[in-house]
């Protein structure tokens, strides 16, 4: 049955319903509310300097809190497992801390020296790679269908290659000079970062000890009428963040291992280093694999055309295994975010907050989506209370 247009509903009743929905009894209430909101914005703009200490405090504590929260969501399942076998929580936390310290020590003494050696070798060999890649591209363009246009540009590839070391040296000199000029800021930032890293274990300890009590304390602070809805939002947000962090870390480790093994099998240089790069960049959806494969493609092109084919085969297999088996099993549909939305979130968060925005943009959006979704559901319930005609009400799923 075709619904009648909303314009046919009694105009006066609609106005009254909207005003009641906003919480008032007359149009004057709505006008005064809008005026007060504008006044608050103007006052806040004029006295924003009062909130500068809060801004400094937030920028100081945000990094250790984020790092500790990531550690909390990664280690919480292990702590719960230890509690199931009747190990007290304090002893469980101590066992976890000792295990993490042992793992870090093992990585520092076994993996880090080999990884450092590969990084140093790559830095030493980079000028050779750059020279060969530049000359190969120059040769290809001169023999391609674009040769006439390319030659009209009068580009001297050999001159570019020969001047590259001087340009790199000048760049490094300018960079060192710039750092020397801003040495105070650099030392301050480095000190803040070190302090943040040092405080992470202490924050993490108290999160593991009392983290599950914090939502209950927060909910008890709210009015009784809001507690049920707040509990649903907190549980849903906790599930979303937990699933994303745990799943993303496991997927990243799997990708790093597969890439390292695959590159090792085909005989590519710096296999471990390229695997580590792939592991860290895979935490960024869509853009991560593109960043990870770029240095591998450069090395493969310089090595041989056949190596490039082998690289393409390995990378395709890794992506297929990840897309068809690993990510669906570990990540599932926990976030339910459209790929286009993910791209827009990454671009926006990256422009606003840099690298941190790219890494934290997706979980931040997932958290915001949970809150907005529940608030919109409450909005629909409130809206339906003030609309007498059933055909104009929202349908609220159970």
């Amino acid at each position: 049955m075709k619904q009648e247009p909303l314009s046919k509903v009694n105009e006066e009743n609609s106005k009254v319903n909207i005003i009641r929905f906003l919480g008032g009894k007359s149009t004057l209430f709505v006008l005064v509310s809008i005026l007060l909101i504008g006044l608050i914005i103007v006052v806040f703009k004029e006295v924003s300097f009062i909130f500068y200490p809060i801004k400094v405090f937030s920028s100081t504590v945000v990094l250790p809190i984020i790092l500790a929260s990531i550690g909390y969501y990664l280690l919480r399942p292990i702590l719960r497992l230890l509690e199931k076998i009747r190990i007290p929580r304090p002893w469980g936390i101590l066992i976890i801390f000792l295990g993490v310290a042992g793992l870090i020590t093992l990585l520092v003494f076994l993996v880090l020296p080999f990884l450092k050696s590969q990084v140093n070798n790559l830095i030493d060999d980079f000028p050779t790679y750059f020279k060969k890649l530049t000359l190969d591209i120059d040769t290809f363009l001169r023999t391609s269908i674009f040769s006439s246009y390319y030659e009209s540009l009068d580009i001297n590839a050999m001159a570019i290659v020969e001047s590259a070391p001087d340009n790199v040296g000048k760049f490094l000199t300018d960079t060192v000079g710039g750092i020397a000029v801003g040495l105070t800021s650099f030392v301050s930032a480095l000190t803040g970062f070190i302090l943040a890293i040092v405080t992470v274990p202490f924050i993490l300890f108290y999160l593991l000890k009392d983290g599950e009590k914090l939502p209950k304390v927060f909910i008890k602070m709210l009015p009784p009428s809001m507690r049920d809805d707040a509990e649903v939002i907190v549980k849903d947000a906790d599930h979303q963040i937990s699933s994303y962090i745990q799943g993303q870390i496991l997927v990243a480790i799997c990708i790093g291992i597969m890439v390292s093994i695959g590159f090792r099998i085909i005989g590519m240089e710096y296999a471990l280093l390229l695997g580590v790069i792939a592991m860290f960049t895979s935490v960024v959806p869509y853009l991560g694999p593109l960043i990870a494969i770029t240095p591998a493609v450069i090395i493969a092109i310089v090595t041989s055309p056949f190596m490039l084919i082998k690289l393409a085969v390995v990378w395709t297999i890794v992506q297929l295994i990840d897309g068809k088996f690993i990510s669906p099993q570990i990540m599932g549909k926990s976030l339910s975010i459209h790929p286009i939305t993910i791209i827009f979130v990454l671009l926006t968060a990256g422009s606003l907050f840099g690298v941190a925005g790219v890494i934290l943009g997706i979980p931040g959006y997932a958290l915001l989506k949970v809150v907005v979704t529940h608030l919109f559901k409450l909005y629909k319930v409130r809206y339906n209370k003030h609309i007498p005609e059933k055909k104009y009400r929202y349908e609220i799923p159970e």
Side-chain angles (χ1 to χ4, degrees), residues 66-358:
I66 289 175
L67 295 177
S69 299
I70 293 174
Y72 168 71
Y73 281 110
L74 289 176
L75 300 177
R76 186 174 64 175
I78 302 176
L79 182 60
R80 288 177 175 175
L81 183 63
L82 293 175
E83 287 185 316
K84 283 184 180 180
I85 58 177
R86 298 183 179 180
I87 295 178
R89 180 171 286 255
W91 286 105
I93 296 173
L94 179 61
I95 292 172
I96 290 173
F97 271 50
L98 291 175
V100 171
L103 181 61
I104 293 174
T105 304
L106 189 67
L107 291 175
V108 168
F109 284 99
L110 295 182
V111 180
L112 194 60
F114 183 67
L115 195 62
K116 180 182 177 182
S117 174
Q118 289 204 341
V119 172
N120 292 333
N121 291 337
L122 181 59
I123 293 173
D124 294 337
D125 295 339
F126 181 78
T128 305
Y129 285 131
F130 176 77
K131 179 178 180 179
K132 192 173 187 309
L133 180 63
T134 304
L135 295 178
D136 288 346
I137 293 175
D138 179 70
T139 303
F140 170 76
L141 291 176
R142 290 186 185 279
T143 57
S144 66
I145 58 175
F146 306 104
S147 59
S148 58
Y149 175 74
Y150 178 70
E151 289 177 358
S152 67
L153 297 176
D154 194 24
I155 297 176
N156 191 338
M158 186 59 68
I160 294 175
V161 169
E162 291 176 352
S163 62
D166 296 333
N167 294 332
V168 172
K170 184 177 182 301
F171 171 76
L172 292 175
T173 302
D174 295 341
T175 303
V176 171
I179 293 176
V181 172
L183 186 60
T184 304
S185 301
F186 175 75
V187 171
S188 176
L190 182 62
T191 304
F193 179 77
I194 294 174
L195 289 175
I197 297 299
V198 170
T199 56
V200 165
F202 298 97
I203 300 175
L204 179 58
F205 172 81
Y206 287 106
L207 281 178
L208 290 171
K209 181 176 179 293
D210 301 319
E212 296 185 359
K213 299 177 183 178
L214 293 178
K216 298 177 182 178
V217 174
F218 168 73
I219 291 172
K220 286 183 179 180
M221 294 171 60
L222 298 174
S225 60
M226 299 174 60
R227 290 176 184 174
D228 292 339
D229 295 318
E231 185 176 1
V232 173
I233 294 175
V234 169
K235 286 183 178 179
D236 199 356
D238 179 75
H239 174 72
Q240 291 275 357
I241 297 175
S242 175
S243 300
Y244 181 82
I245 292 177
Q246 295 170 8
Q248 199 67 53
I249 296 296
L250 289 175
V251 169
I253 293 174
C254 291
I255 289 176
I257 293 173
M258 288 191 298
V259 169
S260 297
I261 294 175
F263 286 174
R264 188 72 176 176
I265 292 174
I266 65 175
M268 176 171 283
E269 295 183 86
Y270 314 111
L272 178 61
L273 177 60
L274 295 174
V276 171
I277 293 174
M279 180 180 68
F280 280 104
T281 56
S282 63
V283 299
V284 182
Y286 300 104
L287 299 180
L290 180 62
I291 299 171
I293 200 175
T294 301
V297 169
I298 294 174
I299 295 174
I301 291 175
V302 172
T303 304
S304 70
F306 186 56
M307 179 60 73
L308 184 61
I309 296 174
K310 292 192 288 186
L311 166 66
V313 172
V314 170
W315 194 260
T316 302
I317 293 174
V318 169
Q319 293 302 313
L320 285 175
I321 294 176
D322 173 51
K324 298 295 182 182
F325 300 101
I326 296 178
S327 289
Q329 295 298 322
I330 296 178
M331 297 291 290
K333 298 290 185 180
S334 58
L335 292 183
S336 302
I337 303 176
H338 195 276
I340 296 296
T341 304
I342 291 177
I343 293 174
F344 286 150
V345 169
L346 290 175
L347 293 175
T348 304
S351 299
L352 291 175
F353 306 108
V355 177
V358 172

Side-chain angles (χ1 to χ4, degrees), residues 10-52:
N10 187 282
E11 215 172 292
E12 192 64 31
N13 288 337
S14 298
K15 291 180 181 178
V16 173
N17 289 333
I18 291 174
I19 293 171
R20 288 177 179 174
F21 168 76
L22 294 174
K25 296 182 180 180
S26 65
T27 307
L28 180 62
F29 167 82
V30 178
L31 296 176
V32 171
S33 299
I34 295 174
L35 182 62
L36 286 176
I37 292 173
L39 185 61
I40 290 171
I41 294 174
V42 172
V43 172
F44 178 80
K45 183 179 178 182
E46 294 297 328
V47 298
S48 58
F49 62 89
I50 296 177
F51 301 95
Y52 179 74

